Amino acid sequence: MTYSKILGTGSYTPERTLTNTELEQLVDTSDEWIQSRTGIVSRQIVVDENTSDLAYQAAERAIKDAGVDKGDIDLFIVATVTPDMPFPGVSQILQRRLGLNTITAFDLNAACSGFVYALNVADKMIRSGAYRLALIVGAETLTKITDYTDRNTCVLFGDAAGAMVLGQSDTPMIKDVVTYANGDIEGHLTMQGYPIKENFKTPEQPRPFLYMNGAEVFKFATTALPKTILTLLERNGMVLDDLSLIVAHQANRRIIDKAARTLKYPMEKMYMNIERYGNTSAASVPLAIDEAIKEGALKKGDTFITVAFGAGLTWGGALITL
Ligand code: UT7
């Protein structure tokens, strides 16, 4: 039986820092409100880079960290809701730019849960024996679809990319991955794309922006997060004490805080970097895992859970031993 394991990780954030003080100039908000309601102090945002540029840097770093030969990579997945363009996908653009062989390469859209979905797909494709070495990336330029006149959303998002190389393993190091979706027909977290139009007419369309009903998403997130963690533990006969760390999607410090209280799990063992990056959607989980490893918060042999939730509505998690 073949399983999968993490061989290397990498991440990249753009250089420009957007502070809460700067946002005070754009909308009716305050540093105090943003920090106390979200935990965010600043975010990194793109100036002239697109999603593929961020993904490229993160991918190169993960490949270097894994020490693998690019020519051996046979699967490439990019999780994103902010691709450079609808097609070709970021993965297909980067297949050539990264110098990968003509392999299976596709984008995956599951919003902020996108990276956990990509992990699930790559893990199962490796377990099947059909693929041996996967590069998976979560990359977003959320600031492209952020309305900087809407204080409900514009203070939340930043741009980033995170990547992981997965290889074959005799033992299950990626122990379990679960992913779920429940159609958001109420439209709590959406972005208009291609509305139905009258035949043969070319309507003037306003530029689409992200819309979020924050309170509804908050309720969903604070339920989904602890439930997914408990599901993963139960399915694998484990308990919270078996975990070294929980790496949750960085959407709001209060969501992570509430999940920790629900689980009666120490907040120090909930990884946190939201203060520096804000919510970076599909990049959030791989960026946090990469930083946790590089900072020594996660070490070889440690078992941890990563968990995410977002538009779709989608959610999911993974139980991993490094
Ligand atoms: O990654 C995708 C998943 N997304 C999320 O997980 C986001 C989930 N939701 C949240 O994190 C929170 O709901 C928010 C941070 C978006 C909002 O925090 P909240 O504590 O739920 O605030 P609220 O929406 O209930 O609004 C409370 C008040 C409102 O004013 P009134 O109506 O009470 O007068 C808002 O207009 O706060 C106001 N408000 C702000 N005030 C200052 C909303 N945004 C701001 C702001 N600055 N930026």
Side-chain angles (χ1 to χ4, degrees):
M1 182 79 188
T2 303
Y3 302 98
S4 78
K5 65 176 172 194
I6 298 175
L7 296 179
T9 60
S11 59
Y12 176 79
T13 52
E15 259 178 43
R16 165 84 159 87
T17 304
L18 175 63
T19 62
N20 291 347
T21 319
E22 264 184 279
L23 285 162
E24 286 175 356
Q25 314 304 312
L26 295 174
V27 287
D28 180 14
T29 191
S30 66
D31 176 43
E32 197 282 316
W33 191 96
I34 301 171
Q35 286 207 41
S36 63
R37 306 306 292 170
T38 72
I40 304 167
V41 178
S42 62
R43 347 77 201 104
Q44 301 304 116
I45 63 165
V46 291
V47 177
D48 53 11
E49 292 166 297
N50 212 327
T51 298
S52 66
D53 300 308
L54 308 190
Y56 175 83
Q57 299 293 345
E60 284 283 6
R61 289 173 186 188
I63 292 166
K64 189 164 175 237
D65 190 52
V68 297
D69 189 332
K70 279 183 181 176
D72 292 335
I73 294 171
D74 54 5
L75 172 66
F76 181 27
I77 308 174
V78 176
T80 187
V81 288
T82 49
D84 298 18
M85 54 188 108
F87 52 86
V90 173
S91 54
Q92 291 124 23
I93 293 168
L94 285 187
Q95 171 271 327
R96 250 173 83 184
R97 195 170 152 203
L98 282 165
L100 303 177
N101 288 335
T102 53
I103 53 168
T104 303
F106 62 96
D107 287 11
L108 183 157
N109 175 342
C112 303
S113 315
F115 189 82
V116 174
Y117 265 73
L119 191 60
N120 201 0
V121 173
D123 173 59
K124 302 304 179 292
M125 288 172 85
I126 289 174
R127 281 179 185 235
S128 78
Y131 292 84
R132 293 154 48 94
L133 195 59
L135 170 63
I136 55 173
V137 179
E140 303 279 16
T141 44
L142 257 280
T143 55
K144 285 193 303 202
I145 57 163
T146 299
D147 178 357
Y148 284 92
T149 64
D150 176 15
R151 73 174 182 174
N152 292 294
T153 54
C154 77
V155 301
L156 303 173
F157 302 107
D159 303 324
M164 197 177 268
V165 175
L166 293 183
Q168 290 176 313
S169 170
D170 294 336
T171 50
M173 303 302 269
I174 307 291
K175 293 189 176 307
D176 197 9
V177 195
V178 292
T179 43
Y180 308 98
N182 187 16
D184 178 18
I185 48 176
E186 294 86 3
H188 292 321
L189 184 45
T190 59
M191 191 186 111
Q192 281 292 314
Y194 307 102
I196 297 165
K197 71 166 188 60
E198 209 181 322
N199 281 352
F200 320 119
K201 293 272 162 58
T202 306
E204 279 287 318
Q205 279 170 16
R207 185 175 167 151
F209 289 117
L210 171 155
Y211 165 80
M212 181 168 70
N213 179 339
E216 285 297 330
V217 178
F218 193 96
K219 263 192 270 171
F220 148 69
T222 48
T223 310
L225 220 152
K227 203 166 164 212
T228 305
I229 293 166
L230 292 177
T231 300
L232 280 166
L233 290 172
E234 268 164 35
R235 277 164 62 104
N236 294 279
M238 293 175 81
V239 291
L240 282 164
D241 276 349
D242 295 324
L243 304 176
S244 301
L245 199 69
I246 292 176
V247 184
H249 168 46
Q250 308 284 305
N252 187 327
R253 170 177 270 278
R254 283 163 51 227
I255 292 175
I256 296 174
D257 197 46
K258 185 140 194 266
R261 273 185 279 124
T262 304
L263 294 167
K264 298 187 176 54
Y265 194 67
M267 197 52 191
E268 315 84 77
K269 287 171 82 178
M270 303 292 286
Y271 185 77
M272 201 73 69
N273 65 6
I274 191 170
E275 65 282 356
R276 282 174 285 138
Y277 302 117
N279 180 346
T280 58
S281 183
S284 155
V285 157
L287 171 65
I289 292 175
D290 183 49
E291 291 210 331
I293 293 172
K294 304 284 151 65
E295 289 164 9
L298 277 176
K299 293 180 282 303
K300 201 127 202 72
D302 282 355
T303 296
F304 70 101
I305 278 181
T306 188
V307 59
F309 50 86
L313 299 168
T314 54
W315 66 103
L319 177 66
I320 300 170
T321 298
L322 262 187

